[in-house]
Amino acid sequence: MYKVQARKRKTTAPEKPVVILPSRNNKPLLKVIPLGGLHEIGKNTCVYEYEDEIILVDAGIGFPTDGMHGINVVLPDMTYLKENQQKIKAMIVTHGHEDHVGGIPYHLKQIDTPIIYGPRLAMALLRDKLEESGLHERTIIKTVSPREVVKIGKHFKVEFIRNTHSIADSFTLAIHTPIGVLIHTGDYKIDHTPVDGEYFDLHRLAQLGEEGILCLLGDSTNSEVPGFTPSERAVYPGLEKVFNQASGRLMVTTFSTSVHRVNMLLELAMEYNRKVGVVGRSMLNVIAHARNLGYIKVPDNLFVPLRNLSGLPENEVLILCTGSQGEKFAAMTRISKGEHRQVKIRQGDTIIFSASPIPGNTIAVVNTIDRLMMQGANVVYGKQAGVHVSGHGCQEDQKLMLSLAKPKFFVPVHGEHRMLVQHSKTAQSVGIPPENIVIIQNGDTIELTADSIGKGNKVPSGIQLVDTAGVVHDSVMEERQQLAEDGVITIAASIDNQGRLLSQPQINLRGVVCQIEIASLERMIIRTIDKTITDRVKSSLLLNGHDDVNWTSIRIDVETNLGRLIQRELNSEPLVIFMLQLQENTPKTIADNGNGNITEVITPKEEEEIDSKFTRRRRKTTVSV
């Protein structure tokens, strides 16, 4: 759940951050600063900084939690990059998954990045994103090939090493710097039978290991799981079994970017004479680009528009969908709720969830499966079904990576805290001394020299939340949280310049649990408004005269007293929106939106609209939970 952080109290002298620094004797220093991907799964973003130059590795998004009301995308805090954007020379993309490239359009809106290097598939998907966002002219996109070396600025050379993952065109990076070579593994597993025939370039990794690697930053996602991660090919028998047994329509949901998985499903569709309909824009885009690049080789007539599927026998239909993580607006989620216009669940449908829930998404996925089952679908899911395998290496994969690279220093990344801890233990088991291993958090600075590693000053870190309208600030999230927990009470009062109520204040409750009678609460609210305004206006008129009445101060007093009253009587803290309308020669409105923001001066027409909006008969005042 999204937690609202308490505001820090001002102190006379701000605390200085604790700095842990090894002795470096003014040696050249490389900084590595992860801004996302640590103590979490998602929003992977890492800064490599040497003197006056910065390169970025990836810019991903995270999934919102249930408590992040209305949020679509979670990004890392970009304050450090904004403050140092004159140093940014390039961005490097390891592969095309959303938790590594999904944040780039948001990133480019805030920060200048002159060029982005990455693999073919990831760059093809990124071009679509930037064109859709109108950002295609904000940067240069450059495609790279395996073993290609790109020189960036004065101090960096980046070498792209082919690895194996659940998406085609995935790279491990060898970052050559003045103090040594660093390996940034990216997401990987060691797949000896890759679907596309593109093998992990272990030869080059071993060669670099022989030459000497200063530090390795390694994917920790499956560090708690013993053994090797099975090949992508391992899911083929499980999928084929479902294809063989399904007598009706077959639907499969998986990550749209899992090109190898999609390719196998399309191969099975051809083998079992099923035509394919595709639901979800991201799935359509990825399949189109993967076919253009040669990663998926199927005939055009395999695909059928959704509107034509109803004319086919049910045992000749395969529907590929997005929504394997229970995302609110994804295709499978809408289908499960009966909200999709073209696809409705029928008795006898078989649905495969060829993915595992990302931490934080489990409840949404389970709810989607339940809704599908209640409509008569047979849902195939879970580890026992054999229809999914991870794209991340387990302990033996990690041991092989560490043994080939033989780094002097090791930093576990890309995972929750327990995963980082376990990965550090695995590293120790293959001979890396514990004093050469550093476990960090987002915003921590790793400081490297040719013979030392330590932590430097922490930089601003955290999250940036985005909904359909743009970036959502903390104050808005606080209001949304308050609305979700305790509801809202709106109050509109109209007074003359003597402070007398001209009509009964209009009171409306939404989402508020009220344990006393509504009429009784209304009477208390009206008395509080009347008494507070009358007392303050009389006092002000006696002391200063009408011209010096501070109506804003009076409104704040009323609001404060109403807040105390409502909290005392309801034992909760609903959001109170109080509007005070002053009727004199030029009507004014002094309104508060709950944050102390004041709106003044309205026209007579607007005044009528306000009266219409807030006027309710007492018997129509509602209480809802």
Side-chain angles (χ1 to χ4, degrees), residues 113-146:
T113 303
I115 190 167
I116 301 175
Y117 296 96
R120 293 187 303 160
L121 180 57
M123 295 298 95
L125 297 173
L126 180 58
R127 285 189 184 94
D128 284 352
K129 291 177 181 292
L130 298 188
E131 287 176 4
E132 183 179 335
S133 305
L135 298 168
H136 55 285
E137 295 182 353
R138 291 291 300 270
T139 189
I140 298 170
I141 294 177
K142 175 71 172 171
T143 299
V144 294
S145 303

Side-chain angles (χ1 to χ4, degrees), residues 68-71 467 472 475-485:
M68 296 178 181
H69 309 287
I71 297 302
D467 65 9
V472 180
S475 59
V476 175
M477 287 307 300
E478 290 174 5
E479 288 184 353
R480 290 183 182 181
Q481 186 69 18
Q482 193 173 5
L483 285 167
E485 292 179 354

